[in-house]
Amino acid sequence: MATVAAPTKMRISPLGRVEGDLDLHIEVRDGVVTDAWTEASMFRGFEIILKGKDPQAGLIVTPRICGICGGSHLYKACYALDTAWRTHVPQNATLIRNIAQACETLQSIPRWFYALFAIDLTNKNYAKTKEYDEVVKRFSPFVGTGYEKGVTLSGKPVEVYAIFGGQWPHSSFMIPGGVMCAPNLADVTRSIAILDYWKREWLEKAWLGCSIDRWMENKTWDDIWAWAEENESQHNSDCGLFLRFSKAIGLDTFGYGCGTFLATGTYFQPELYERPTIDGRNAALINRAGVYDGERFHDFDHLNVRESTAHSFYQGDTYLHPWEGRTDPIDPAEGHKQGKYSWAKSPRYEVPGKGPMPFEAGPLARQVNAGRQGAAKHQDQDPLFLDAVKKVGPSVLVRVMARMHEACKYYKLAQKWLSELQLHDNFYTKPVEHLSGKGFGSTEAARGSLSDWIVIENGRIENYQVVTPTAWNIGPRDAHNVHGPMEQSFIGSPIHDPTDPVEMGHVARSYDSCLVCTVHAYDGKTGKELARFRIGEMG
Amino acid sequence: MATLLWLQGGACSGNTMSFLNAEEPSACDLVTDFGIDVLWHPSLGVELGDQVKFLLADIVSGKRPLDIFVFEGTVIRAPHGTGRYNMFADRPMKDWVAELSGVANAVVALGDCACWGGIPATAPNPSDSVGLQYLKKNRGGYLGSNFKSKWGLPVINIPGCPCHPDWVTQILVAIASGRANDIALDELQRPQTFFKTFTQTGCTRVQFYEYKQHTHEFGQGTRTGCLFYEFGCRGPMTHSPCNRILWNRQSSKTRAGMPCTGCTEPEFPFHDLMPGTVFKTQKIAGVIPKDHQTGTGTLSYMAHAVAARIAAPQWTKEDMFVV
């Protein structure tokens, strides 16, 4: 009997490793994904809870949207109020907010890499590669040498967060007008020492095998490969091993995505943002905001952000700026009948002259925008990942490396800010709690741009809309049927072993979407679902 | 050796993130040194797809024994009791929770959401969220008042938003080492070993509290005074060991100058976050705190306050935590 390439029968459910739930339907032909639908499958309704509440309720509620980047939620919720109430923020408070935001991200980098991303590298599908045994030794969950060190030491940067904020996750110590804490000398010196320990033990000894200054000399994608061969120490570091192994298993060859990158930026230059305003935001940022449409850069303007509900489980087909945004959920069973398939809305950015486009958010998006010319003296300018994207495109590997690259940069910034704290100056200026106002606050969570839009009327929240990096990345098709960035990333990606489609895991986790990801696969030729998770079969 | 399955419902993963901050034992130690066999965890499991499918099927059928079922997040029941707002593997998560709770030797609710609904269950509770055995203060919850796990225990509530990693790891070690029956629970099914004391127990501001000296302002004022009188701190009324077992080995919210929000109690977030209630002490006649230390009344509070203010030494009016 002739062997016919049978349609791949598969369905991964669940794909796991981050928070929330995502179902991914994919269409597969001849071992390649030809279409994809990302479906966020959990809804709690935080924007509805916030309506009518105390204007400061977002400081308590929004960190609980995501415990992985709760500090980032607090940071932007606070700036939304700062802009709405027109507060004064002392320079010390800006420094502490910056330090806290950076420490959350420094925590996330090794924790995400080892616990969420790299354990897939130990997949048996890769057993034939020559680096495999070493990869298993380093990256196996719980017992891998790199895993254990990386995950355990990932708790260190958030010790610094706790020194200023009391605890991580879920403090609410940033408030309009500043921060609640007033650190003393030992708080600062201990923070310096903790970060230094983390840098030495994990970042330099385990991850890089060299000093952070040596790593920062890398300015092009080629530099990185030369770095990996420069000496034994770098070659055999976790980073060196990861680079070599990625090449061997092709992580540089798929997961491209939409090729457009948006960053709302984060960290403020203290003396430039004592009076936080929406208009003054871009100029005061240290990590710049920006929009790269695949050809050219544009300044970020929050007024160009829209959210589409065309394929989301909300009433109607709306396309609104978040200040006007609505969150009116419908039963998914009803939604499916209307062609809707996700709880995520589809954020789009109106690019001048081009109209609405989807954008990838995250470390790579930040680093691409960091490559734009014209940074002010206080701002980050870094050509490395713009070079990578132009040379080799935004693959799984490039996305991961952008994330890891940031560890060195944010470490240096955090230490600099610690050195600039003036312990005898103020950390807070009591604001006037205006009864009405509109605010916009935004930051870069570890995994991408995270923003709040608040409307306050009569001393209560009239409207509150949050646009998360996950929504930017995993949002469904918009009204024009344009795929979301992660949907685009799956398309064209290979699936070598239909019984263990680990490639889908790599793509999903390269974005660090905060969703548990489940994959439903369909036969691309017949449109029939290939395998179902049937409860009736159990027991 | 004990098997453990961890799932997340209406969750933010904050308890998982907090858990990963653990040391002595660390999350890795639990596996390598304490023999906890993590069958699956949404953030840490290496299995995917079919492997998880078969695993869950084996657990529900009893083929694979489950010692500890840890649930993080609320049980979502919307819309109209269908649970379709939270699907997991094509099925409402609530249905998984019911089946897995039925076969587990011990069921642990991790964090406020799983204990009593937490923030998602704040009015108007858009997802119709509920805790495993409570909805806010009311016993019952999703599994019902009479629920007992196979070992005859009610749901073990480890609240907090998030809960501290040590509260989790120590209870897991206790269960894994056969000490489940030594875990004395309070009337809200919380382990007494952690939740008998108050958040205020060990707070560095407690001397200011005793002499009724209040913090004047955030930021500058946090080096002196107590946050209870003006900033809504719930430390005297909240049960937790936050100031005995420090957070991230370093500090606590109240030590760092942030008022306790009472997040280990079922009413959190208090007053449903209505206007005027966030970081502001609720008062009677603009003077006397409405809520005060557990076991005291308004009269005893006032009598104590008068005496304390008279007795207050000068140093209680100055910065104690200086540069």
Side-chain angles (χ1 to χ4, degrees):
Chain A
M1 202 161 59
T3 326
V4 180
T8 325
K9 292 211 169 204
M10 56 168 283
R11 172 189 148 99
I12 322 163
S13 168
L15 203 117
R17 255 175 282 145
V18 263
E19 154 274 327
D21 294 282
L22 177 73
D23 286 2
L24 172 64
H25 289 256
I26 48 176
E27 210 171 76
V28 187
R29 281 172 201 256
D30 305 322
V32 175
V33 177
T34 50
D35 208 349
W37 294 260
T38 51
E39 313 183 1
S41 61
M42 192 264 280
F43 176 76
R44 290 169 294 170
F46 279 59
E47 293 161 336
I48 300 171
I49 291 170
L50 283 164
K51 201 175 161 77
K53 301 293 163 65
D54 188 288
Q56 296 189 89
L59 303 173
I60 292 175
V61 170
T62 69
R64 272 81 180 193
I65 290 173
C66 172
I68 306 175
C69 37
S72 307
H73 276 282
L74 176 64
Y75 187 95
K76 52 75 178 136
C78 197
Y79 280 107
L81 285 170
D82 281 317
T83 53
W85 280 352
R86 307 186 293 280
T87 63
H88 172 261
V89 179
Q91 295 188 25
N92 270 339
T94 303
L95 290 170
I96 288 192
R97 291 178 184 183
N98 286 350
I99 292 163
Q101 169 70 77
C103 285
E104 176 173 274
T105 302
L106 292 177
Q107 163 270 146
S108 183
I109 291 169
R111 188 170 293 187
W112 164 79
F113 180 80
Y114 294 100
L116 305 179
F117 182 83
I119 62 179
D120 283 331
L121 303 177
T122 66
N123 191 289
K124 62 180 181 345
N125 291 354
Y126 302 132
K128 286 191 204 119
T129 56
K130 76 172 191 292
E131 298 88 354
Y132 185 71
D133 289 346
E134 185 61 23
V135 163
V136 169
K137 200 179 126 221
R138 298 257 191 112
F139 300 146
S140 290
F142 300 111
V143 296
T145 52
Y147 181 101
E148 187 166 2
K149 194 165 193 188
V151 170
T152 305
L153 288 176
S154 69
K156 289 294 163 192
V158 287
E159 290 185 6
V160 176
Y161 196 105
I163 286 173
F164 298 110
Q167 69 178 59
W168 187 93
H170 292 344
S171 176
S172 300
F173 81 105
M174 301 178 199
I175 32 164
V179 290
M180 289 175 172
C181 65
N184 60 33
L185 181 59
D187 292 332
V188 175
T189 52
R190 190 180 301 130
S191 299
I192 292 169
I194 291 170
L195 282 181
D196 181 69
Y197 173 80
W198 175 85
K199 184 257 297 184
R200 192 177 62 242
E201 292 301 315
W202 177 70
L203 184 52
E204 293 190 335
K205 277 191 197 164
W207 175 250
L208 292 174
C210 71
S211 71
I212 56 175
D213 290 332
R214 167 63 194 92
W215 173 265
M216 293 299 290
E217 288 167 19
N218 295 329
K219 300 295 179 201
T220 68
W221 189 240
D222 291 339
D223 286 351
I224 289 183
W225 295 100
W227 170 90
E229 300 306 326
E230 191 172 85
N231 57 44
E232 227 16 48
S233 168
Q234 288 157 210
H235 183 83
N236 288 329
S237 66
D238 284 359
C239 180
L241 175 66
F242 171 66
L243 283 166
R244 287 182 281 124
F245 189 65
S246 294
K247 201 85 172 168
I249 64 172
L251 289 190
D252 54 338
T253 60
F254 63 91
Y256 291 116
C258 55
T260 55
F261 300 96
L262 176 141
T264 58
T266 192
Y267 309 130
F268 294 100
Q269 186 64 18
E271 69 276 17
L272 299 179
Y273 218 46
E274 287 192 71
R275 290 277 174 192
T277 61
I278 298 171
D279 291 342
R281 190 175 178 279
N282 281 354
L285 284 165
I286 294 172
N287 276 16
R288 288 177 290 166
V291 176
Y292 180 69
D293 67 11
E295 291 167 348
R296 67 181 60 173
F297 287 102
H298 306 268
D299 290 339
F300 172 77
D301 180 350
H302 84 95
L303 291 172
N304 291 342
V305 174
R306 301 282 184 281
E307 283 197 297
S308 163
T309 60
H311 291 96
S312 313
F313 297 135
Y314 303 95
Q315 277 174 26
D317 174 0
T318 60
Y319 184 69
L320 298 168
H321 181 270
W323 271 337
E324 274 76 50
R326 293 201 296 269
T327 305
D328 305 316
I330 58 171
D331 186 337
E334 274 307 303
H336 283 301
K337 290 178 198 157
Q338 302 167 26
K340 294 170 181 277
Y341 61 91
S342 180
W343 283 110
K345 297 176 187 172
S346 313
R348 293 292 181 266
Y349 188 86
E350 294 273 343
V351 179
K354 285 192 171 179
M357 292 174 72
F359 281 87
E360 175 175 341
L364 181 57
R366 287 195 283 273
Q367 295 310 316
V368 166
N369 279 291
R372 186 185 185 180
Q373 295 298 312
K377 197 160 163 266
H378 65 279
Q379 293 180 317
D380 178 42
Q381 181 149 2
D382 182 346
L384 178 52
F385 282 90
L386 182 58
D387 176 77
V389 161
K390 284 188 167 166
K391 244 177 231 158
V392 297
S395 60
V396 169
L397 175 61
V398 169
R399 207 169 280 122
V400 173
M401 288 308 295
R403 178 84 172 255
M404 306 313 286
H405 176 62
E406 291 189 330
C408 298
K409 298 172 77 159
Y410 296 167
Y411 167 80
K412 285 173 94 92
L413 282 170
Q415 287 286 25
K416 174 175 173 280
W417 294 322
L418 280 166
S419 75
E420 289 169 0
L421 284 171
Q422 299 296 325
L423 296 177
H424 295 280
D425 291 351
N426 291 344
F427 291 83
Y428 174 75
T429 305
K430 193 173 164 51
V432 177
E433 300 188 9
H434 295 285
L435 291 177
S436 62
K438 279 180 163 186
F440 165 67
S442 189
T443 187
E444 290 289 331
R447 55 169 68 108
S449 302
L450 175 59
S451 311
D452 280 0
W453 282 262
I454 187 173
V455 180
I456 304 168
E457 277 173 24
N458 301 317
R460 59 182 64 211
I461 293 170
E462 178 61 27
N463 195 13
Y464 206 106
Q465 294 285 318
V466 184
V467 178
T468 63
T470 299
W472 280 107
N473 289 330
I474 67 114
R477 289 158 173 72
D478 58 24
H480 307 286
N481 273 316
V482 176
H483 294 73
M486 200 197 281
E487 289 180 332
Q488 295 191 36
S489 276
F490 286 114
I491 297 170
S493 291
I495 292 182
H496 288 110
D497 176 0
T499 67
D500 195 355
V502 66
E503 296 91 345
M504 300 300 99
H506 295 323
V507 172
R509 284 167 205 139
S510 75
Y511 282 94
D512 191 14
S513 64
C514 44
L515 294 157
V516 171
C517 188
T518 55
V519 179
H520 313 244
Y522 291 85
D523 180 341
K525 285 164 191 155
T526 65
K528 219 170 99 184
E529 191 168 4
L530 296 168
R532 292 230 65 153
F533 191 72
R534 273 192 293 271
I535 294 322
E537 289 174 354
M538 299 179 97
Chain B
M1 194 71 181
T3 57
L4 181 148
L5 176 74
W6 184 319
L7 293 183
Q8 296 173 339
C12 73
S13 217
N15 294 291
T16 290
M17 286 297 121
S18 187
F19 172 69
L20 289 174
N21 293 332
E23 283 182 9
E24 294 157 354
S26 70
C28 293
D29 294 341
L30 280 182
V31 174
T32 56
D33 300 347
F34 291 87
I36 291 186
D37 179 9
V38 182
L39 299 177
W40 197 69
H41 179 294
S43 305
L44 308 170
V46 71
E47 294 85 359
L48 48 81
D50 284 352
Q51 297 144 314
V52 180
K53 181 200 307 185
F54 297 136
L55 175 76
L56 293 177
D58 283 353
I59 295 171
V60 172
S61 71
K63 203 165 136 194
R64 195 95 188 247
L66 177 62
D67 291 312
I68 310 169
F69 175 44
V70 173
F71 193 66
E72 173 179 3
T74 62
V75 179
I76 287 177
R77 300 180 298 186
H80 319 300
T82 64
R84 281 197 289 261
Y85 278 14
N86 181 22
M87 301 294 284
F88 179 68
D90 267 359
R91 205 182 165 208
M93 178 58 93
K94 72 180 179 64
D95 295 349
W96 287 111
V97 171
E99 287 182 7
L100 292 162
S101 299
V103 297
N105 285 330
V107 177
V108 177
L110 210 60
D112 278 11
C113 291
C115 291
W116 14 77
I119 291 214
T122 306
N125 193 355
S127 57
D128 195 9
S129 273
V130 64
L132 285 180
Q133 213 163 8
Y134 284 83
L135 174 56
K136 300 291 173 178
K137 273 195 300 196
N138 302 316
R139 195 145 184 275
Y142 177 61
L143 296 172
S145 306
N146 296 325
F147 172 83
K148 290 240 162 52
S149 66
K150 278 171 78 182
W151 277 342
L153 303 167
V155 172
I156 298 170
N157 285 331
I158 311 183
C161 192
C163 61
H164 189 292
D166 285 13
W167 313 344
V168 190
T169 56
Q170 306 306 340
I171 292 299
L172 292 182
V173 169
I175 297 173
S177 56
R179 291 187 170 274
N181 288 316
D182 287 344
I183 304 170
L185 302 178
D186 70 7
E187 72 286 1
L188 291 167
Q189 295 168 209
R190 303 175 292 196
Q192 288 194 31
T193 182
F194 296 125
F195 296 98
K196 174 81 175 163
T197 55
F198 296 96
T199 304
Q200 195 179 29
T201 310
C203 179
T204 51
R205 295 173 198 287
V206 77
Q207 288 163 305
F208 296 118
Y209 175 82
E210 286 306 326
Y211 287 112
K212 300 285 179 281
Q213 299 300 315
H214 64 85
T215 300
H216 292 272
E217 199 172 271
F218 283 131
Q220 298 135 21
T222 51
R223 287 184 185 162
T224 188
C226 173
L227 298 157
F228 166 78
Y229 301 101
E230 299 296 332
F231 297 100
C233 183
R234 302 198 62 86
M237 297 85 79
T238 301
H239 294 86
S240 90
C242 290
N243 280 298
R244 290 195 288 134
I245 302 171
L246 294 182
W247 283 84
N248 310 89
R249 296 166 288 279
Q250 299 297 332
S251 194
S252 71
K253 291 202 291 293
T254 60
R255 288 184 181 201
M258 181 181 158
C260 167
T261 52
C263 78
T264 52
E265 301 294 342
E267 297 92 336
F268 173 81
F270 281 79
H271 315 296
D272 280 337
L273 301 164
M274 291 313 286
T277 64
V278 174
F279 304 136
K280 292 182 180 76
T281 302
Q282 305 300 296
K283 294 179 186 174
I284 303 165
V287 188
I288 308 154
K290 263 187 197 161
D291 293 334
H292 28 76
Q293 192 150 41
T294 306
T296 64
T298 302
L299 274 179
S300 60
Y301 171 84
M302 286 168 69
H304 181 209
V306 171
R309 285 209 190 89
I310 292 168
Q314 183 56 34
W315 59 260
T316 61
K317 301 171 201 298
E318 296 167 359
D319 280 11
M320 191 188 289
F321 306 100
V322 298
V323 172

